[in-house]
């Protein structure tokens, strides 16, 4: 049955995250961007909300709440209204943990999930993006050669979020004609973690390159064990999550432009009273509203174990196009103020373009 | 619970609608080319179809119901053709909706079984109905209203048995002076000079009406309220309220056409060996052809519009005020269906504009979506006022 009604639980999550985004995220977003750094304090505060551990079963140390990807999409949207960078950093551990939770073997769950239920911030990282133009996460060049029951991984990854501090990497690679994902401990021989990457947007988000120089891992490293994992499903979740981030960013722009345009006076009246501005704001609202439905659809299909490849593709590509459009117009609504770093809109503009081309940096 | 899955029964219902719609599509081209002809009320295939298709599947509490299902069914019907129906319902004109919303019990009894059109638009007034120039003057000696004026773009205007007519009883009162009147066909002074000639939906029944000293009984004033409210425009808003479910329905109509264009384009692409690969990520555009990439973008646009429309219907079903959302989905769909049908033709090349196919017809047919029931501009005005918390005096 088609229904658009959030549950009471989802409404509670939404309200709590909205408050957190306004109180703890937005106020520090600009400083983080300027410093290209996220304070550890923030990560610990976010950690204490249980963003990752809440949906991990009690058997592994979590709170055992029902796993809901729609709830998480709502959560991610709200955090990203505060700031995309900090939102991604705050939920980064979930990306890794939920991949293990959804697709790992029992042994993998037992070994890894309790790490995400402790007192202090802990994280793994997903390594799916590869360097070079037109690199496609669905077609990695990184390979895993079988060596007896073990695997030898060779390849290069980039945009590994939390690469600087992750205890484990989940690395996608070709295994013969198939795709596989491997849990690689940071200290495995041949793992080379690069420097903090410098980007136009999401400047404060810790991310590194990752070189795999003939890294040998045992059969227990293969996500899902002998039957393997559904890497596409993993990407679908990450694409949907990215769409949710871009949705949050779009809303941030809109919610900033509305009061601004009511305050800013030109030719004796607020610019919001000019149709050229008012209609632009209307279009921003229309697009973010429509985008939300696409995000929910993809998240809901994923939640029910349906094939969400198409839905996730549509949500992500629409989000990339429209969030960029919204951020671009946000700059235009603010005019000169859109161009100076006193206002956050220029940052959102840079972040929108960045988010639209990333992959595997956030999950549900 | 937020859910986007159709049940088996939902699917069966929608497949049945599509099967019906596909039959209607056979008549689409011929009726478009011969727009003077009236569309048959029943197609020759109707009896066979209903005999074979059996009864409409019964639905349970798990199934999609109410306005959401109604919108999906509407998309299904318009996917076949805008105008042609296997068996046309004899009621359910826009005027019937107004009667149901604002009529007295006596009026509903008397007029309820008739097909009623709704006449608002005039040669000099469209999106701003407060400019209505058709007049209704009360003749107290005979207790009759005397109607004078011209109406255009009257949907189902030829087939309708009567009309809910917007006219002013006091021009100086502006919007507050506008009232609705029930007028039966055949009343002296009520003429239907012609069917409109249009860009699209050519076969559709769209009429022009002329009223020349047309006299109707005093009790034909819809709702029987002759007073002119001073400050507010309550009566006017009462009529505008009927637009809240019609906006998503109008969006759904256009989206049905857009989906027809997308489905047919997808078939052509597949036949030409173009691969639509949804596994492609942001760096994966290199392995999509330009046609595939363009098409998949249009699909995203369609899906976004469809979901926004269903969401609006869902709100109506929950009894939630959906005034803003209905403008949002109408504005989104109005623009989306234009881009989709025009984009499909761009992908297809010359075949797209050939009258051998329906692509060009779909593009013409759905162009009305962004115009009627409030143009895209009017919807944006409503949305912007809502966003900015402005009245219609603050933002004109």
């Amino acid at each position: 049955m088609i229904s658009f009604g959030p549950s009471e639980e989802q409404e509670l999550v939404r309200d709590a995250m909205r408050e957190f985004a306004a109180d703890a995220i937005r106020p520090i977003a600009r400083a983080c961007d300027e410093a290209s750094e996220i304070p550890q304090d923030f990560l610990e505060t976010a950690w204490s909300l249980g963003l990752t551990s809440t949906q991990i079963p009690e058997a592994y140390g979590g709170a055992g709440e029902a796993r809901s990807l729609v709830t998480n999409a709502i959560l991610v949207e709200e955090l990203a209204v505060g700031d995309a960078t900090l939102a991604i950093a705050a939920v980064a551990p979930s990306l890794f943990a939920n991949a293990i939770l959804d697709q790992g073997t029992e042994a993998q769950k037992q070994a890894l999930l309790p790490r995400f239920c402790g007192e202090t911030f802990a994280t793994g990282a997903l390594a799916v993006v590869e360097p070079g133009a037109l690199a496609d996460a669905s077609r990695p060049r990184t390979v895993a050669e079988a060596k007896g029951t073990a695997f030898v991984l060779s390849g290069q990854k980039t945009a590994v979020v939390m690469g600087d501090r992750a205890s484990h990497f989940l690395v996608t690679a070709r295994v013969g004609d198939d795709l596989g994902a491997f849990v690689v401990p940071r200290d495995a021989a041949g793992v080379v973690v690069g420097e903090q990457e410098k980007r136009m947007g999401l400047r404060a988000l810790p991310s590194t390159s990752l070189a795999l120089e003939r890294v040998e891992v045992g059969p227990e490293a293969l996500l899902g064990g002998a039957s393997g994992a559904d890497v596409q499903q993993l990407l679908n979740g990450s694409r949907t999550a990215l769409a949710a981030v871009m949705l949050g960013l779009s809303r941030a722009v809109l919610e900033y432009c509305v009061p601004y345009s009511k305050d800013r006076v030109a030719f004796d009246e607020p610019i919001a009273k000019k149709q050229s501005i008012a209609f632009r704001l209307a279009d921003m609202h229309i697009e973010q509203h429509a985008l939300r439905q696409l995000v929910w659809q993809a998240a809901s299909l994923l939640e029910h174990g349906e094939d969400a490849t198409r839905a996730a593709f549509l949500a992500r590509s629409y989000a990339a196009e429209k969030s960029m459009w919204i951020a671009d117009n946000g700059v235009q609504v603010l005019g000169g103020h859109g161009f100076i770093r006193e206002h956050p809109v220029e940052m959102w503009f840079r972040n929108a373009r960045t988010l639209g081309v990333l992959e595997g940096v956030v999950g549900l | 619970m937020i859910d986007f899955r159709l049940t088996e029964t939902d699917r069966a219902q929608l497949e049945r609608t599509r099967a019906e719609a596909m039959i209607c599509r056979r008549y689409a081209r011929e009726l478009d080319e011969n727009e003077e002809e009236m569309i048959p009320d029943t197609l020759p295939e109707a009896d066979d179809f209903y005999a074979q298709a059996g009864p409409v599947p019964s639905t349970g509490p798990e199934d999609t119901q109410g306005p959401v299902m109604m919108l999906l069914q509407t998309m299904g019907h318009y996917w076949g053709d805008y105008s042609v129906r296997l068996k046309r319902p004899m009621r359910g004109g826009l005027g019937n909706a107004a009667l149901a919303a604002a009529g007295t019990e006596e009026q509903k009894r008397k007029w309820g079984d008739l097909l009623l059109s709704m006449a608002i638009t005039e040669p000099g007034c469209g999106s701003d109905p407060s400019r209505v120039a058709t007049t209704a003057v009360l003749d107290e000696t005979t207790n009759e209203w005397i109607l004078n004026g011209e109406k255009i773009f009257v949907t189902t205007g030829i087939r309708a048995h009567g009309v809910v007519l917007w006219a002013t009883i006091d021009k100086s009162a502006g919007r507050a002076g506008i009232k609705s009147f029930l007028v039966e066909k055949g009343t002296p002074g009520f003429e239907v000079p012609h069917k409109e000639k249009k860009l699209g939906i050519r076969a559709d029944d769209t009429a022009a009406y002329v009223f020349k000293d047309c006299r109707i009984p005093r009790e034909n004033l819809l709702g029987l309220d002759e007073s002119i409210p001073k400050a507010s425009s309550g009566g006017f808003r009462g009529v505008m309220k009927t637009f809240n479910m019609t906006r998503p329905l109008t969006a759904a109509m256009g989206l049905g056409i857009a989906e027809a264009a997308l489905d047919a384009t997808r078939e052509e692409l597949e036949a030409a060996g173009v691969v639509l690969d949804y596994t492609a990520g942001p760096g994966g555009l290199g392995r999509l052809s330009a046609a595939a990439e363009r098409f998949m973008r249009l699909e995203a646009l369609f899906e976004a519009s469809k979901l926004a429309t269903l969401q609006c219907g869902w709100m109506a079903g929950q009894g939630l005020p959906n005034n803003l959302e209905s403008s949002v989905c109408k504005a989104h769909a109005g623009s989306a269906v234009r881009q989709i049908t025009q984009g499909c033709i761009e992908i297809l090349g010359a075949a797209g504009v050939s009258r051998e196919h329906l692509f060009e017809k779909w593009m013409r047919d759905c162009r009305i979506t962004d115009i009627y029931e409030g143009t895209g501009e009017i919807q944006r005005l409503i949305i912007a006022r809502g966003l900015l918390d402005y009245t219609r005096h603050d933002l004109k």
Side-chain angles (χ1 to χ4, degrees):
Chain A
M1 173 170 59
I2 294 185
S3 163
F4 293 82
S7 64
E8 244 173 72
E9 159 79 14
Q10 286 165 340
E11 284 175 350
L12 286 173
V13 167
R14 183 192 62 200
D15 294 347
M17 292 302 126
R18 189 170 292 181
E19 202 181 318
F20 182 72
D23 296 347
I25 297 186
R26 180 67 66 81
I28 64 167
R30 168 58 76 185
C32 290
D33 186 73
E34 293 288 333
S36 290
E37 201 176 338
I38 297 174
Q40 186 65 25
D41 274 4
F42 168 76
L43 294 177
E44 298 297 348
T45 311
W47 183 259
S48 66
L49 299 176
L51 300 180
T52 301
S53 62
T54 302
Q55 291 180 10
I56 293 178
E58 288 170 11
Y60 309 111
E65 295 283 336
R67 171 126 172 78
S68 166
L69 284 85
V70 176
T71 304
N72 293 350
I74 293 169
L75 178 150
V76 167
E77 175 191 339
E78 291 302 332
L79 294 180
V81 175
D83 181 60
T85 304
L86 291 161
I88 292 172
V91 300
S94 309
L95 175 61
F96 182 90
N98 288 335
I100 303 295
L101 179 59
D102 292 344
Q103 302 210 37
T105 61
E106 188 51 42
Q108 286 164 341
K109 290 184 201 177
Q110 283 180 11
L112 296 163
L113 291 180
R115 309 179 71 93
F116 297 94
C117 304
E119 292 287 305
T120 55
F121 185 85
T123 190
L126 200 58
V128 298
V129 185
E130 301 195 341
L134 295 168
D136 182 357
S138 295
R139 308 277 171 92
R141 278 167 283 195
T142 299
V143 290
E145 298 163 63
K147 183 183 170 191
T149 59
F151 296 94
V152 177
L153 297 167
S154 308
Q156 298 280 336
K157 299 286 181 178
T158 184
V160 181
V161 171
M162 297 290 167
D164 60 340
R165 65 197 78 184
S167 61
H168 294 78
F169 299 99
L170 189 60
V171 177
T172 53
R174 279 192 289 121
V175 191
D177 291 333
D178 291 331
L179 281 185
F182 295 85
V183 179
V184 180
R186 184 186 192 88
D187 56 9
V191 168
V192 182
V193 179
E195 296 292 298
Q196 162 72 14
E197 293 171 332
K198 293 180 178 170
R199 271 180 315 270
M200 170 174 72
L202 309 179
R203 290 165 75 116
L205 188 67
S207 87
T208 64
S209 63
L210 177 70
L212 301 142
E213 298 173 350
R214 298 200 60 78
V215 176
E216 192 169 325
V217 290
E220 75 286 352
L222 182 59
L223 184 67
S227 49
D230 185 347
V231 173
Q232 187 60 45
Q233 190 77 346
L234 195 63
L235 293 174
N236 294 343
S238 129
R239 286 170 189 171
T240 307
L242 262 163
V245 173
M246 293 188 263
L247 169 60
L249 181 147
S250 303
R251 234 180 75 206
V253 175
L254 175 65
E255 289 173 4
Y256 197 84
C257 287
V258 165
Y260 178 89
S261 59
K262 288 179 81 172
D263 285 346
R264 173 79 181 184
V265 172
F267 305 103
D268 304 324
E269 63 176 2
I271 60 170
K273 293 197 174 186
K274 317 278 183 202
Q275 284 193 353
S276 65
I277 299 294
F279 279 23
R280 217 181 281 252
L281 297 174
D283 275 318
M284 290 160 131
H285 175 80
I286 291 167
E287 292 302 349
Q288 62 88 31
H289 176 83
L291 173 56
R292 181 168 303 102
Q293 319 310 322
L294 284 177
V295 171
W296 284 8
Q297 173 174 255
S300 166
L301 292 177
L302 282 164
E303 179 170 316
H304 293 109
E306 311 261 326
D307 180 13
T309 303
R310 181 172 176 273
F313 176 93
L314 299 180
R316 196 210 64 81
S317 66
Y318 200 75
E321 184 180 335
K322 297 306 176 186
S323 65
M324 188 67 248
W325 182 87
I326 288 170
D328 190 40
N329 278 280
V331 170
Q332 199 65 20
V333 167
L334 267 75
H337 288 291
F339 202 75
I340 54 171
R341 304 214 309 260
E342 204 173 307
H343 293 273
V345 183
E346 67 79 30
M347 179 171 74
W348 294 334
F349 172 78
R350 288 182 285 110
N351 288 349
R353 182 64 285 169
T354 308
L355 288 162
V357 295
L358 285 181
E359 174 120 71
V361 302
V362 60
L364 295 179
Chain B
M1 181 180 68
I2 295 170
D3 195 354
F4 292 82
R5 293 168 301 170
L6 294 169
T7 63
E8 294 266 323
T9 312
D10 291 346
R11 282 180 208 282
Q13 280 210 63
L14 294 171
E15 268 164 35
R16 187 191 154 105
T17 305
R18 279 213 172 187
E20 204 178 315
M22 208 55 189
I23 298 171
C24 299
R25 198 185 281 181
R26 295 177 197 158
Y27 295 83
R29 172 56 71 190
E30 189 195 327
L31 285 161
D32 181 71
E33 301 273 337
N34 301 291
E35 61 183 314
E36 303 297 337
E37 276 179 40
M38 283 306 288
I39 301 161
D41 283 335
T42 308
L43 298 184
E45 290 92 336
D47 289 343
D48 276 356
F49 178 85
Y50 293 124
Q52 278 172 25
V56 177
S58 58
T59 59
E62 288 303 303
D63 299 314
T64 305
Q65 323 226 352
V68 176
M69 188 37 92
M70 188 204 288
L71 290 166
L72 286 168
Q73 298 275 27
T74 301
M75 285 180 206
H77 284 300
Y78 285 76
W79 178 86
D81 186 64
Y82 187 94
S83 312
V84 187
R85 293 292 172 272
L86 201 53
K87 203 168 167 48
R88 178 183 296 282
M90 289 312 287
R91 271 185 287 176
L94 274 172
N96 294 90
L99 177 69
T104 64
E105 288 311 311
E106 172 65 26
Q107 287 171 335
K108 286 181 197 170
R109 249 195 310 282
K110 190 171 168 210
W111 296 82
D113 286 336
L114 304 180
L115 176 68
L116 299 174
S117 60
M118 182 121 152
I120 302 174
T121 304
E122 299 181 1
C125 105
S127 292
D128 177 7
S130 66
R131 285 177 53 86
V132 162
T134 299
T135 55
V137 179
L138 187 62
D139 182 345
E140 304 226 8
T141 58
T142 61
N143 261 343
E144 287 174 319
W145 294 101
I146 308 168
L147 307 170
N148 277 289
E150 269 182 67
K151 293 288 176 182
I152 56 173
F153 303 148
V154 185
T155 300
T156 66
I158 307 277
R159 287 175 61 251
H161 309 112
V163 59
V164 172
L165 170 77
W166 283 29
T168 175
I169 57 172
D170 179 0
K171 264 190 182 169
S172 66
R175 290 151 60 109
I178 295 169
K179 299 285 178 188
S180 304
F181 298 88
L182 293 153
V183 194
E184 203 166 355
K185 286 265 186 78
T187 308
F190 177 8
E191 290 163 29
V192 184
H194 63 263
K195 192 170 164 182
E196 303 275 10
K197 292 198 161 103
K198 309 181 290 294
L199 164 72
I201 58 168
R202 291 189 178 180
D204 212 61
D205 176 1
T206 314
Y209 287 170
V210 175
F211 297 89
K212 278 186 200 154
D213 292 326
C214 175
R215 288 174 167 267
I216 56 167
R218 188 166 184 171
E219 65 268 21
N220 284 18
L221 171 66
L222 188 67
L224 289 182
D225 181 9
E226 291 177 10
S227 66
I228 297 171
K230 273 240 160 58
S232 85
S233 54
F236 187 81
R237 254 195 241 122
V239 183
M240 294 300 276
K241 221 163 77 182
T242 64
F243 280 17
N244 275 6
M245 197 50 210
T246 55
R247 273 181 241 150
L249 275 168
T250 312
M253 290 149 82
L255 287 167
I257 300 172
E259 191 169 21
L262 282 173
D263 287 348
T265 303
R266 191 184 297 108
E267 274 177 32
E268 298 286 345
L269 288 173
E270 280 166 2
V274 174
V275 179
L276 304 173
D277 184 353
Y278 301 98
T279 67
L285 290 185
R287 60 186 163 88
L288 294 177
S289 69
E293 197 270 344
R294 182 104 167 78
F295 181 79
M296 289 155 85
R297 249 178 222 260
L298 297 178
E299 280 189 294
L301 190 58
F302 170 79
E303 203 73 17
S305 214
K306 173 181 164 181
L307 293 175
T309 302
L310 296 182
Q311 194 267 352
C312 181
W314 176 83
M315 290 186 80
Q318 300 289 310
L320 299 167
N322 68 348
N323 193 43
L324 186 65
E325 287 76 12
S326 62
S327 282
V328 166
C329 73
K330 168 71 168 60
H332 194 284
S335 148
V337 300
R338 290 158 66 182
Q339 293 177 62
I340 291 165
T341 53
Q342 293 164 26
C344 283
I345 290 178
E346 192 185 337
I347 290 168
L348 295 165
V353 291
S354 164
R355 275 153 57 198
E356 296 277 306
H357 303 291
L358 288 169
F359 298 102
E360 64 83 30
K361 178 177 183 297
W362 288 326
M363 171 179 150
R364 286 185 288 110
D365 284 353
C366 78
R367 189 61 186 80
I368 190 66
T369 309
D370 213 14
I371 301 171
Y372 62 5
E373 300 296 333
T375 62
E377 288 70 23
I378 293 296
Q379 307 304 340
R380 280 168 179 80
L381 204 51
I382 294 169
I383 295 161
R385 283 176 190 152
L387 271 182
L388 293 158
D389 198 18
Y390 276 171
T391 64
R392 63 192 181 87
H393 301 292
D394 296 329
L395 182 64
K396 295 195 167 83

